[in-house]
Amino acid sequence: MEHVFFPFDAELKNELDQIKLAIQGEQNGIGSRSMGAMAYKKNYGVPYPSLRRIAANYQPDAKLANCLWNIGYRETMLLALLLFPKDAMAESDVQRLTAEMKEMELAEFACRDLFCLLPGAENYVQGLLAQGADFSLEVAYLLAARLLERSDRPLAFVTVLTDRMEADLLLGKASLAKAISNFLKQLGLFNKHTAQVMAVVDHLSKSDNMQLRWVAEEVRTEVEYSNHKD
């Protein structure tokens, strides 16, 4: 899909107006204030289940999704992730959306509800690692975690991520630590990789870095008390 602003035809304008009214009807002032200062142009505090109900009234459509994304409100951008047509997206679209993300919330929902469902998504992880956008590393690890969660086998990108994750942890970004934690949790559920992940956990738990110790505890709890895959 090409990144362009589409001309507003009557049907598209009507759909956008309906969606804006639906968002306003679900506005939650307390929720908006509780989210604090976020990088969206506007934040109505609408809960995600409500956004899913709004999205269910529309068919996936590239023009509609791109317009919603470009509006830049929290709710319109999250709705866009639900309305991008999955069979019409390419790796360049994934990289574009990632480069335009300003909030970890978008990265998490994009990986869960869009990126991991795309044909060829397994091949996008390494491209994201090399992209250099603000949230590209987070998206790479989050996407890897989602793909592992949905898979019955370890995937090709595992070695690339495990070779670099400690260096990435030392970058000191809390959002990146959370993403790496999610990746390690899912990887550790594969019996083939459990011992490897627990060795990483033991190493991180001895660190003087509080963030690394937090990752170790998060991963240890998940791997020790969850069902594993062969």
Side-chain angles (χ1 to χ4, degrees):
M1 296 183 317
E2 189 178 358
H3 183 205
V4 297
F5 289 88
F6 293 97
F8 283 83
D9 57 39
E11 182 178 357
L12 180 58
K13 183 179 185 304
N14 182 55
E15 287 182 326
L16 288 168
D17 288 343
Q18 289 177 350
I19 289 171
K20 289 176 182 178
L21 285 173
I23 290 171
Q24 291 170 5
E26 297 282 351
Q27 183 173 357
N28 185 323
I30 295 175
S32 178
R33 289 192 295 273
S34 70
M35 293 178 189
M38 303 182 82
Y40 302 110
K41 291 180 182 177
K42 189 174 289 188
N43 169 19
Y44 288 93
V46 179
Y48 198 65
S50 298
L51 294 176
R52 291 189 70 90
R53 288 196 296 272
I54 294 172
N57 295 313
Y58 301 90
Q59 293 296 318
D61 180 84
K63 289 184 179 180
L64 178 59
N66 271 303
C67 286
L68 289 167
W69 182 264
N70 290 327
I71 288 171
Y73 297 173
R74 170 183 175 270
E75 287 71 17
T76 62
M77 297 183 87
L78 290 174
L79 282 169
L81 296 175
L82 295 168
L83 291 172
F84 277 111
K86 298 174 181 61
D87 59 352
M89 293 194 73
E91 183 174 6
S92 59
D93 298 304
V94 172
Q95 293 187 349
R96 170 177 66 86
L97 295 181
T98 299
E100 294 173 358
M101 290 177 186
K102 303 300 181 184
E103 287 289 342
M104 185 63 170
E105 179 185 42
L106 277 178
E108 291 174 341
F109 284 120
C111 289
R112 190 188 77 177
D113 291 334
L114 180 60
F115 294 169
C116 77
L117 304 176
L118 299 178
E122 181 179 340
N123 300 318
Y124 297 167
V125 173
Q126 294 192 51
L128 287 164
L129 291 173
Q131 185 176 350
D134 282 350
F135 279 107
S136 59
L137 290 181
E138 284 90 335
V139 171
Y141 283 101
L142 289 170
L143 177 56
R146 288 294 178 183
L147 291 169
L148 287 171
E149 183 180 15
R150 294 171 55 84
S151 178
D152 59 0
R153 60 181 176 85
L155 301 170
F157 51 69
V158 165
T159 300
V160 175
L161 293 183
T162 53
D163 284 349
R164 63 173 292 158
M165 64 188 173
E166 186 169 354
D168 288 338
L169 280 170
L170 291 174
L171 294 173
K173 292 181 66 178
S175 58
L176 184 53
K178 182 178 179 182
I180 293 173
S181 171
N182 287 347
F183 164 69
L184 284 172
K185 287 175 184 177
Q186 295 302 323
L187 183 62
L189 298 183
F190 287 90
N191 289 329
K192 178 181 177 181
H193 288 283
T194 300
Q196 176 190 8
V197 169
M198 295 309 291
V200 171
V201 165
D202 289 340
H203 173 66
L204 295 179
S205 67
K206 297 179 177 69
S207 173
D208 293 332
N209 186 306
M210 184 180 299
Q211 191 163 267
L212 269 59
R213 295 200 305 274
W214 173 84
V215 170
E217 188 59 32
E218 286 284 303
V219 176
R220 186 190 304 277
T221 301
E222 181 75 15
V223 174
E224 287 183 348
Y225 293 99
S226 297
N227 294 325
H228 287 216
K229 306 176 185 180
D230 293 331

